[in-house]
Amino acid sequence: MATASESKATRRDFLYIATGAVGAVGVAGAAWPLIHQLNPDASVLALASIRFDVSSVAEGSSVTILWRGLPVFVRHRTAAEIEEARAVPLSDLKDPESDEERVLEGHEEWLIMVANCTHLGCVPVGESGDFDGWFCPCHGSHYDTSGRIRRGPAPANLVVPPYQFVSDTVVEIG
Ligand code: FES
């Protein structure tokens, strides 16, 4: 038979548990709109990857497009530019990376890179500098025809974003 004190304790335990449960549900309920708000909305998700038809970019020229708010160079390289990039020994490079690693096999003429200097983020100027690639006028970094840092304060090569060709002429970045 339960004594009065045992029965009181049981009732008290129940109240503690019930209050805790209601509190937990309340916290979860209050947190949900906040967590939901932190998820990217549909317009942001749509920008996570972009498609670009490269057929309008003539050999020897570049365009700059926007991806996730970043400028991205799409360069249609000439055979001479590719040859020049591939002739460089890796031992000459501050950030050793072969040209083959920076482009897609079968699409070697397309060089796609985030257009921010890896020093402090300025946008380098194309077809200039001492290595026929890009020159960053902010503090004098020179990149070659593969977008690799060759001289100046930038510590690394221009960044190649993830991308793939989804048809002969359409590239998907992101
Ligand atoms: S930002 Fe390009 S060299 Fe400094």
Side-chain angles (χ1 to χ4, degrees):
M1 189 167 63
T3 64
S5 70
E6 279 174 336
S7 134
K8 244 190 205 161
T10 311
R11 256 206 323 267
R12 200 174 50 230
D13 290 348
F14 170 76
L15 284 174
Y16 280 147
I17 293 166
T19 309
V22 169
V25 170
V27 168
W32 172 248
L34 178 66
I35 292 166
H36 189 65
Q37 212 174 29
L38 294 175
N39 287 333
D41 70 12
S43 63
V44 172
L45 286 174
L47 291 174
S49 66
I50 54 164
R51 288 186 176 195
F52 177 69
D53 187 340
V54 298
S55 56
S56 61
V57 186
E59 187 175 313
S61 68
S62 309
V63 294
T64 305
I65 60 176
L66 265 189
W67 170 65
R68 295 183 186 171
L70 296 172
V72 170
F73 292 140
V74 177
R75 170 87 187 158
H76 190 171
R77 299 191 297 177
T78 63
E81 287 174 321
I82 298 170
E83 200 177 314
E84 186 177 336
R86 296 192 169 192
V88 179
L90 287 186
S91 56
D92 282 7
L93 299 173
K94 184 192 269 190
D95 179 13
E97 199 178 14
S98 70
D99 184 64
E100 287 86 343
E101 291 173 84
R102 296 177 53 77
V103 294
L104 292 181
E105 197 178 342
H107 297 279
E108 294 83 358
E109 68 275 39
W110 297 106
L111 180 61
I112 297 176
M113 309 178 295
V114 174
N116 292 120
C117 178
T118 59
H119 181 222
L120 291 174
C122 292
V123 176
V125 179
E127 293 170 54
S128 57
D130 293 349
F131 299 88
D132 305 324
W134 286 263
F135 174 67
C136 181
C138 290
H139 313 95
S141 286
H142 298 252
Y143 297 89
D144 67 14
T145 59
S146 191
R148 297 171 300 195
I149 182 65
R150 300 297 297 277
R151 184 177 302 145
N157 303 331
L158 292 176
V159 172
V160 175
Y163 70 91
Q164 59 175 334
F165 275 83
V166 294
S167 77
D168 282 351
T169 60
V170 175
V171 68
E172 183 177 81
I173 302 173

mmCIF file of all heavy atoms in Angstrom, residues 117 119-122 136 138-141 153-154, ligand 1:
data_model
loop_
_atom_site.group_PDB
_atom_site.id
_atom_site.type_symbol
_atom_site.label_atom_id
_atom_site.label_comp_id
_atom_site.label_asym_id
_atom_site.label_seq_id
_atom_site.Cartn_x
_atom_site.Cartn_y
_atom_site.Cartn_z
ATOM 1 N N CYS A 117 42.192 37.497 -57.087
ATOM 2 C CA CYS A 117 43.597 37.258 -56.775
ATOM 3 C C CYS A 117 43.678 36.588 -55.409
ATOM 4 O O CYS A 117 42.946 36.954 -54.472
ATOM 5 C CB CYS A 117 44.315 38.607 -56.754
ATOM 6 S SG CYS A 117 46.048 38.503 -56.336
ATOM 7 N N HIS A 119 45.897 36.843 -53.318
ATOM 8 C CA HIS A 119 46.553 37.665 -52.301
ATOM 9 C C HIS A 119 45.483 38.337 -51.446
ATOM 10 O O HIS A 119 45.181 37.863 -50.355
ATOM 11 C CB HIS A 119 47.488 38.691 -52.974
ATOM 12 C CG HIS A 119 48.224 39.555 -52.002
ATOM 13 N ND1 HIS A 119 48.395 40.904 -52.191
ATOM 14 C CD2 HIS A 119 48.811 39.256 -50.811
ATOM 15 C CE1 HIS A 119 49.073 41.403 -51.163
ATOM 16 N NE2 HIS A 119 49.340 40.416 -50.325
ATOM 17 N N LEU A 120 44.834 39.367 -51.978
ATOM 18 C CA LEU A 120 43.811 40.049 -51.180
ATOM 19 C C LEU A 120 42.510 40.217 -51.943
ATOM 20 O O LEU A 120 41.664 41.033 -51.564
ATOM 21 C CB LEU A 120 44.344 41.399 -50.693
ATOM 22 C CG LEU A 120 45.471 41.311 -49.649
ATOM 23 C CD1 LEU A 120 46.045 42.693 -49.343
ATOM 24 C CD2 LEU A 120 45.005 40.642 -48.361
ATOM 25 N N GLY A 121 42.363 39.471 -53.027
ATOM 26 C CA GLY A 121 41.045 39.388 -53.651
ATOM 27 C C GLY A 121 40.736 40.328 -54.799
ATOM 28 O O GLY A 121 39.610 40.332 -55.291
ATOM 29 N N CYS A 122 41.686 41.161 -55.232
ATOM 30 C CA CYS A 122 41.412 42.023 -56.396
ATOM 31 C C CYS A 122 41.138 41.162 -57.630
ATOM 32 O O CYS A 122 41.510 39.991 -57.671
ATOM 33 C CB CYS A 122 42.604 42.923 -56.695
ATOM 34 S SG CYS A 122 42.896 44.173 -55.441
ATOM 35 N N CYS A 136 47.668 41.107 -61.556
ATOM 36 C CA CYS A 136 46.869 41.785 -60.535
ATOM 37 C C CYS A 136 47.537 43.120 -60.230
ATOM 38 O O CYS A 136 48.651 43.159 -59.684
ATOM 39 C CB CYS A 136 46.763 40.944 -59.269
ATOM 40 S SG CYS A 136 45.746 41.770 -58.030
ATOM 41 N N CYS A 138 46.814 45.339 -58.069
ATOM 42 C CA CYS A 138 46.788 45.823 -56.678
ATOM 43 C C CYS A 138 48.171 45.786 -56.042
ATOM 44 O O CYS A 138 48.630 46.773 -55.470
ATOM 45 C CB CYS A 138 45.779 45.036 -55.855
ATOM 46 S SG CYS A 138 44.088 45.432 -56.335
ATOM 47 N N HIS A 139 48.842 44.634 -56.146
ATOM 48 C CA HIS A 139 50.183 44.553 -55.543
ATOM 49 C C HIS A 139 51.159 43.813 -56.448
ATOM 50 O O HIS A 139 52.219 43.381 -56.001
ATOM 51 C CB HIS A 139 50.121 43.870 -54.169
ATOM 52 C CG HIS A 139 49.026 44.383 -53.291
ATOM 53 N ND1 HIS A 139 47.794 43.774 -53.219
ATOM 54 C CD2 HIS A 139 48.972 45.470 -52.493
ATOM 55 C CE1 HIS A 139 47.007 44.473 -52.391
ATOM 56 N NE2 HIS A 139 47.704 45.496 -51.949
ATOM 57 N N GLY A 140 50.786 43.604 -57.704
ATOM 58 C CA GLY A 140 51.738 43.062 -58.672
ATOM 59 C C GLY A 140 51.921 41.555 -58.687
ATOM 60 O O GLY A 140 53.048 41.062 -58.708
ATOM 61 N N SER A 141 50.826 40.811 -58.706
ATOM 62 C CA SER A 141 50.957 39.357 -58.864
ATOM 63 C C SER A 141 50.758 38.983 -60.333
ATOM 64 O O SER A 141 49.856 39.505 -60.997
ATOM 65 C CB SER A 141 49.927 38.615 -58.003
ATOM 66 O OG SER A 141 50.301 38.672 -56.644
ATOM 67 N N PRO A 153 53.094 38.730 -54.649
ATOM 68 C CA PRO A 153 52.760 38.310 -53.281
ATOM 69 C C PRO A 153 51.665 37.253 -53.177
ATOM 70 O O PRO A 153 51.474 36.695 -52.093
ATOM 71 C CB PRO A 153 52.300 39.614 -52.620
ATOM 72 C CG PRO A 153 51.771 40.433 -53.753
ATOM 73 C CD PRO A 153 52.616 40.091 -54.947
ATOM 74 N N ALA A 154 50.912 36.999 -54.227
ATOM 75 C CA ALA A 154 49.820 36.013 -54.098
ATOM 76 C C ALA A 154 50.411 34.649 -53.737
ATOM 77 O O ALA A 154 51.412 34.223 -54.321
ATOM 78 C CB ALA A 154 49.020 35.933 -55.390
HETATM 79 S S1 FES B 1 45.363 41.509 -54.331
HETATM 80 FE FE1 FES B 1 46.400 40.816 -56.065
HETATM 81 S S2 FES B 1 48.461 41.174 -55.638
HETATM 82 FE FE2 FES B 1 47.440 41.815 -53.865
#
